[in-house]
Amino acid sequence: MGANSQIYEDVITKCKHVIARYPDSKHVDDAMLLIGKSLFALHRYDESVSALDSLTHRYPKTNLKEEAEFLKGKSLAKAEHWDAASAALKSFVDAYRGSDYRPEAFYLLCTSLMQLGLADNAVAELQRLEKDHGRSEYRYRAQTDMAAILVEKGLYKESLSVYERLDRSRIPKEMRFDVWMGMTRSQVELGRFDDALVTLEKVASTNPGPDREPPMLLLRGRAYAGADSAQRAVTIFKSVATRFSRGTYGAEADYRLGILYESMDSLKTAQRYYQEVPRAYSGSDYAEDAIKRAGDIGRIL
């Protein structure tokens, strides 16, 4: 257990002691909220929800109810209980219109609705967020996460529409990399390779650090491959495969090289790169398909 974890465990123990020893104290509701917040910090979200429910049921008129109900909705979202989270957060944003927690509650509500596949409802709540809290960073975070969820679901046209809407607005500097990378991914998946290369120039202008370079290079390689610049794509993928030979990026680069060489009828070379995918990272999303493709080529040869 880490030092911070132990601190939260100690807080829970002390608060329970206060509640048990002084049940009529005016500080009991504070202690109950602290328990809920500590459980949240420990990622014990279901327990946090139970603790916060106990607080609001025991003290329905407590002045801590606003914070407790927000934290309950946030805990439900963190626990991925999307139905319950959306209900709790919708209730919160309707009931506490002047709350400082409201922009974040809207953001969590939008992403919860997206996870449920209720895109129209999410957009409606996003419009309320934009109208009531137009300057909040959560306005942009909500749109970015909604677009990312659409990408995960394979809804690239819809995600690109969200990213383009963001691109037309004044995106906060710290969010530009994520927005433009997501936009590039959608463009590549939709076959808009020239547009993707243009967007990648915007990505490069954010001066991404070394940890952000590999996914950017992989997208650039895919865009070049789609734009019939196969040799440029090969050069980029080989660079990634060499520099990041072990791990998810190296595995994807090997897979992309296999695809390229297979399309050029260089079957032995393609097979060699496919065989490297599980060696680079056996847990890669591409490993299973790479093994199958290598086997198919083996039978052909």
Side-chain angles (χ1 to χ4, degrees):
M1 183 182 293
N4 287 339
S5 296
Q6 188 57 58
I7 290 171
Y8 291 122
E9 293 286 2
D10 291 343
V11 168
I12 292 169
T13 300
K14 289 175 182 178
C15 286
K16 286 182 176 178
H17 177 74
V18 168
I19 293 167
R21 190 166 183 179
Y22 307 103
D24 298 323
S25 169
K26 64 180 181 179
H27 299 298
V28 169
D29 56 347
D30 292 283
M32 294 177 80
L33 180 61
L34 268 177
I35 290 172
K37 293 170 79 170
S38 297
L39 288 166
F40 180 90
L42 290 167
H43 301 173
R44 290 157 58 181
Y45 302 120
D46 289 334
E47 293 177 69
S48 178
V49 170
S50 295
L52 295 164
D53 277 339
S54 295
L55 165 59
T56 53
H57 289 155
R58 183 169 174 177
Y59 299 100
K61 295 184 180 180
T62 177
N63 59 2
L64 303 175
K65 189 174 181 180
E66 175 187 325
E67 186 175 2
E69 292 195 350
F70 166 70
L71 188 57
K72 175 184 174 180
K74 189 172 182 177
S75 297
L76 288 165
K78 287 286 188 179
E80 299 185 358
H81 300 319
W82 306 120
D83 275 316
S86 58
L89 292 162
K90 180 72 166 66
S91 175
F92 181 87
V93 298
D94 289 343
Y96 298 97
R97 295 181 178 274
S99 173
D100 290 340
Y101 301 116
R102 195 166 183 253
E104 186 177 0
F106 264 124
Y107 157 67
L108 293 167
L109 174 57
C110 289
T111 52
S112 296
L113 290 167
M114 287 298 296
Q115 292 289 0
L116 290 169
L118 301 173
D120 289 344
N121 301 64
V123 169
E125 297 302 338
L126 174 62
Q127 289 171 342
R128 292 178 67 195
L129 169 57
E130 291 174 334
K131 180 182 177 182
D132 295 350
H133 309 282
R135 296 183 179 180
S136 170
E137 66 168 298
Y138 289 109
R139 166 191 176 184
Y140 300 101
R141 287 182 62 183
Q143 291 182 79
T144 304
D145 282 12
M146 285 166 64
I149 292 166
L150 288 166
V151 168
E152 289 172 12
K153 294 179 181 293
L155 300 171
Y156 302 115
K157 184 177 179 181
E158 292 83 351
S159 70
L160 183 58
S161 176
V162 177
Y163 282 127
E164 287 176 338
R165 180 180 177 187
L166 273 166
D167 192 39
R168 290 192 294 269
S169 63
R170 299 179 65 180
I171 315 167
K173 187 176 180 180
E174 65 276 9
M175 299 185 69
R176 289 173 186 169
F177 177 85
D178 291 331
V179 170
W180 288 331
M181 279 290 286
M183 189 171 176
T184 303
R185 166 85 186 277
S186 296
Q187 288 168 332
V188 166
E189 297 290 356
L190 290 168
R192 293 172 55 174
F193 304 114
D194 290 336
D195 290 342
L197 289 168
V198 171
T199 307
L200 279 167
E201 293 305 313
K202 293 183 179 181
V203 176
S205 73
T206 67
N207 297 315
D211 58 323
R212 288 178 160 181
E213 185 184 10
M216 184 177 70
L217 288 173
L218 287 167
L219 278 175
R220 187 180 296 278
R222 291 183 65 190
Y224 277 131
D228 295 325
S229 298
Q231 196 51 54
R232 282 184 170 183
V234 165
T235 301
I236 290 171
F237 290 140
K238 282 185 175 179
S239 171
V240 175
T242 301
R243 293 169 57 199
F244 309 94
S245 58
R246 291 292 176 264
T248 183
Y249 300 127
E252 182 177 347
D254 287 326
Y255 179 80
R256 300 290 176 195
L257 283 164
I259 293 286
L260 274 172
Y261 279 111
E262 188 175 0
S263 70
M264 293 185 286
D265 290 328
S266 299
L267 297 185
K268 282 190 176 181
T269 306
Q271 184 185 46
R272 177 163 58 85
Y273 279 111
Y274 285 140
Q275 289 169 338
E276 285 298 316
V277 175
R279 293 172 190 162
Y281 180 46
S282 60
S284 168
D285 292 340
Y286 304 98
E288 185 177 348
D289 190 45
I291 292 168
K292 180 181 181 301
R293 286 174 177 268
D296 290 342
I297 290 173
R299 282 186 287 275
I300 292 169
L301 293 175

